[in-house]
Amino acid sequence: LAEATLAGGCCPGASHNRFAYNEAGQVRIRAGLPIYECNSRCRCGAECPNRVVQRGIRYDLCIFRTGDGRGWGVRTLQRIRKNSFVMEYVGEIITSEEAERRGQVYDRQGATYLFDLDYVEDVYTVDAAHYGNISHFVNHSCDPNLQVYNVFIENLDQRLPRIALFATRPIRAGEELTFDYNMHVDPVDAESTRMDSNFGLVGGSLGGSPRARGRIECKCGAASCRKFLF
């Protein structure tokens, strides 16, 4: 791992990228840069510091009903350290064409769970409507406490990153978890400009699709609220 930044070294170096984590497993690279974790071809064990997202959720989380019209939400029952991995956005991988078709159906139903995988090109979308985990219930905020990162583990196809959510700051026990559905990262190099998330709105009475969205009022309540989701 000491040679992870060298081409031919550990997984990040072999992909010409930086080692993403510190010794405590907290992400130390800026959003927009990819994370390459060790995989089944590596000789290291499960406790390798370059195996974080693949270990899954490590915090106690719960689903609750919000009292301000945002539907269901997710809160943590434990304190979460800044830059720690919290959860992966999980769902069914479908083509963008299928996402467009489903998005129109979801619009009529008033809910959708589509997340475009557009790290390098917009070919695939994650749909968490039928298959997923607790991330299905995470609400939007214009001042979120979670940040999206693209992660590659067993697969090096840049069209198919895994979507990992890391804490942007220390999060108190009992606090709601949120991320920005209309996230844009600051460019740090050519790679980072590829990582703007297109999220088909989650939950509640919100409608949307990967391509066509109306002006949806934001109810996040943040001081920096943009007033509209898209």
Side-chain angles (χ1 to χ4, degrees):
L1 294 177
E3 299 178 351
T5 57
L6 301 178
C10 195
C11 296
S15 302
H16 302 283
N17 286 281
R18 292 179 55 200
F19 189 70
Y21 307 117
N22 64 15
E23 63 278 0
Q26 296 161 292
V27 69
R28 63 180 187 179
I29 62 174
R30 290 183 60 181
L33 294 175
I35 295 174
Y36 287 87
E37 292 196 1
C38 291
N39 53 64
S40 59
R41 291 190 172 189
C42 299
R43 290 173 292 181
C44 57
E47 297 307 311
C48 170
N50 196 37
R51 297 179 184 270
V52 173
V53 173
Q54 61 194 266
R55 294 179 193 159
I57 296 172
R58 313 291 276 190
Y59 294 99
D60 290 331
L61 311 175
C62 76
I63 300 167
F64 72 102
R65 189 74 176 179
T66 66
D68 54 8
R70 293 179 298 120
W72 297 99
V74 177
R75 63 164 59 106
T76 175
L77 301 180
Q78 297 175 271
R79 180 181 179 275
I80 299 177
R81 295 176 304 169
K82 180 180 179 179
N83 296 328
S84 296
F85 170 66
V86 179
M87 70 181 79
E88 181 178 356
Y89 192 84
V90 174
E92 178 186 5
I93 297 176
I94 58 177
T95 65
S96 295
E97 290 78 12
E98 175 64 12
E100 182 67 30
R101 187 192 69 79
R102 293 188 188 186
Q104 295 174 6
V105 175
Y106 295 156
D107 285 351
R108 294 192 293 270
Q109 296 172 346
T112 187
Y113 304 86
L114 300 171
F115 198 126
D116 286 350
L117 301 179
D118 53 2
Y119 175 60
V120 291
E121 56 181 313
D122 195 359
V123 178
Y124 298 108
T125 296
V126 174
D127 182 0
H130 306 290
Y131 305 92
N133 62 2
I134 197 170
S135 64
H136 171 105
F137 299 98
V138 176
N139 280 313
H140 161 85
S141 176
C142 296
D143 184 21
N145 52 25
L146 300 179
Q147 171 70 52
V148 174
Y149 280 82
N150 288 292
V151 182
F152 300 90
I153 305 175
E154 297 291 345
N155 165 51
L156 295 181
D157 187 341
Q158 291 190 325
R159 301 172 302 169
L160 291 167
R162 291 169 66 162
I163 303 302
L165 299 170
F166 286 80
T168 61
R169 55 173 173 78
I171 303 174
R172 304 182 309 274
E175 187 175 347
E176 183 177 1
L177 301 175
T178 58
F179 70 96
D180 189 341
Y181 291 2
N182 198 22
M183 177 198 67
H184 296 281
V185 298
D186 295 329
V188 291
D189 59 18
E191 292 294 309
S192 68
T193 62
R194 298 171 176 173
M195 202 200 136
D196 291 343
S197 75
N198 259 335
F199 192 79
L201 310 177
V202 168
S205 60
L206 304 177
S209 74
R211 304 294 179 275
R213 303 183 182 96
R215 294 278 284 175
I216 305 299
E217 181 183 359
C218 181
K219 299 179 181 180
C220 74
S224 58
C225 181
R226 297 187 297 265
K227 306 304 180 185
F228 293 93
L229 284 179
F230 297 99

